[in-house]
């Protein structure tokens, strides 16, 4: 269990660890996953310190329990429960297959931004496809965050690739002429086409 306390400075009139009505540095001590911790924190707000400690404890539990393989299996089960369309499920299954191959039994809480950056460099796809895959990767780690297996989504630190979207232009005069010409012979070439479609 981790305990927070203020380590009062010489000029502070307070002397007890239980006194919090000052801005002296906040320290923490105790055990986390069997490891003894005794250090100063970088915050002076008690609320911020409590949030930080809670994140440590969550990360510690996640790192000790949930592996990448377990997280992937649970993610796919959740996708199936939401009845996603087959094409989407195919893409998610490919993603988790790669994650399992890349990180194997590594605890999901131990995956860093650098790890994901190295993984992305081996994708070898166009910018638009890479952007979509990054969205799926972020979705997977958001799933892990929502279940408190990890503290932060490491995939959010990866910038999406720059894509240039080409606007859809109107048909040219030649293209319009070909389209209108095709409507005149469509019924002859496709005799089984319903009449309402051949108008």
């Amino acid at each position: 269990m981790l305990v927070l306390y203020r380590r009062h400075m010489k000029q502070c009139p307070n002397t007890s660890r239980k006194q919090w009505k000052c801005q002296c540095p906040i320290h923490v001590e105790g055990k986390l996953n069997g490891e003894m911790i005794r250090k100063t924190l970088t915050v002076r707000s008690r609320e911020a310190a409590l949030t930080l400690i809670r994140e440590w404890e969550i990360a510690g539990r996640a790192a000790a329990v949930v592996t990448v393989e377990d997280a992937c299996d649970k993610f796919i089960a959740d996708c199936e429960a939401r009845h996603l369309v087959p094409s989407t499920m195919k893409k998610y299954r490919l993603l988790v297959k790669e994650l399992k191959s890349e990180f194997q039994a590594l605890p999901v809480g131990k995956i860093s931004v650098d790890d994901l950056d190295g993984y992305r460099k081996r994708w070898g796809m166009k910018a638009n496809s890479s952007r979509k895959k990054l969205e799926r990767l972020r979705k997977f780690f958001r799933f892990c965050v929502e279940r408190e297996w990890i503290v932060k989504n490491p995939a959010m630190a990866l910038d999406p690739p720059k894509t240039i979207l080409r606007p859809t232009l109107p048909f040219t005069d030649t293209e319009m002429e070909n389209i209108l010409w095709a409507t005149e012979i469509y019924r002859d070439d496709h005799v089984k086409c319903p009449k309402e479609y051949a108008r």
Side-chain angles (χ1 to χ4, degrees), residues 13-14 21 25 28 30 36 45 47 49 61 64 66 71 76 92 94 97 102 105 130-131 133 140 153 158 166 190 198:
N14 300 319
K21 294 182 178 180
V28 60
M36 188 63 189
S45 163
E47 290 73 19
R61 289 198 302 271
V66 183
I76 289 297
Y92 278 132
L94 176 61
K97 180 180 179 181
E102 185 79 18
S130 181
R131 176 184 288 270
K133 190 166 185 175
F140 168 76
N153 185 340
L158 298 178
R166 295 181 179 178
H190 302 276

Side-chain angles (χ1 to χ4, degrees), residues 3 6 15-16 18 22 25 33 43 51 70 73 86 95 100 106 114 117 120 127 136 138 142 151 167 175 178 191:
V3 178
R6 287 199 187 275
T15 56
S16 172
K18 295 181 181 180
C22 64
N33 292 337
V43 296
T51 300
D70 290 338
D73 292 340
L95 175 68
K100 287 181 179 181
L106 185 72
D114 290 337
D117 190 45
R120 182 172 67 166
R136 293 192 290 274
R138 287 176 171 178
R142 185 163 70 246
V151 177
E175 289 171 333
N178 290 336
V191 294

Side-chain angles (χ1 to χ4, degrees), residues 67-79:
T67 64
V68 172
E69 291 180 341
D70 290 338
C72 287
D73 292 340
K74 291 175 182 177
F75 176 71
I76 289 297
D78 179 74
C79 291

Side-chain angles (χ1 to χ4, degrees), residues 171-197:
F171 292 119
T172 64
D173 292 341
T174 302
E175 289 171 333
M176 282 302 303
E177 183 179 347
N178 290 336
I179 291 170
L180 293 174
W181 176 79
T183 60
E184 296 178 1
I185 65 171
Y186 184 83
R187 178 63 180 167
D188 296 333
D189 289 349
H190 302 276
V191 294
K192 293 184 179 181
C193 176
K195 291 182 178 180
E196 61 269 21
Y197 295 151

Side-chain angles (χ1 to χ4, degrees), residues 119-163:
Y119 165 58
R120 182 172 67 166
K121 287 177 180 177
R122 292 187 289 277
W123 286 355
M125 56 181 59
K126 299 290 186 179
N128 282 337
S129 298
S130 181
R131 176 184 288 270
K132 292 295 184 181
K133 190 166 185 175
L134 178 58
E135 290 175 3
R136 293 192 290 274
L137 185 66
R138 287 176 171 178
K139 176 64 178 177
F140 168 76
F141 281 103
R142 185 163 70 246
F143 173 84
C144 296
V145 170
E146 290 168 351
R147 280 147 185 79
E148 297 188 347
W149 298 336
I150 55 177
V151 177
K152 294 181 180 179
N153 185 340
M156 293 303 296
L158 298 178
D159 291 329
K162 184 178 180 180
T163 56

Side-chain angles (χ1 to χ4, degrees), residues 22-115:
C22 64
Q23 291 298 311
C24 292
I26 297 178
H27 287 238
V28 60
E29 70 176 13
K31 285 190 175 182
L32 181 63
N33 292 337
E35 179 184 354
M36 188 63 189
I37 295 177
R38 183 179 291 113
K39 61 183 297 184
T40 182
L41 301 178
T42 57
V43 296
R44 292 179 182 261
S45 163
R46 185 176 184 182
E47 290 73 19
L50 289 170
T51 300
L52 182 60
I53 295 306
R54 180 177 177 274
E55 290 178 352
W56 287 2
E57 291 173 342
I58 291 172
R61 289 198 302 271
V65 177
V66 183
T67 64
V68 172
E69 291 180 341
D70 290 338
C72 287
D73 292 340
K74 291 175 182 177
F75 176 71
I76 289 297
D78 179 74
C79 291
E80 291 173 343
R82 291 188 288 127
H83 302 288
L84 300 182
V85 297
S87 59
T88 301
M89 287 301 305
K90 182 179 179 181
K91 293 172 183 176
Y92 278 132
R93 287 194 175 98
L94 176 61
L95 175 68
V96 299
K97 180 180 179 181
E98 290 181 359
L99 289 174
K100 287 181 179 181
S101 175
E102 185 79 18
F103 303 108
Q104 299 179 354
L106 185 72
V108 70
K110 295 292 186 181
I111 297 177
S112 68
V113 177
D114 290 337
D115 294 330

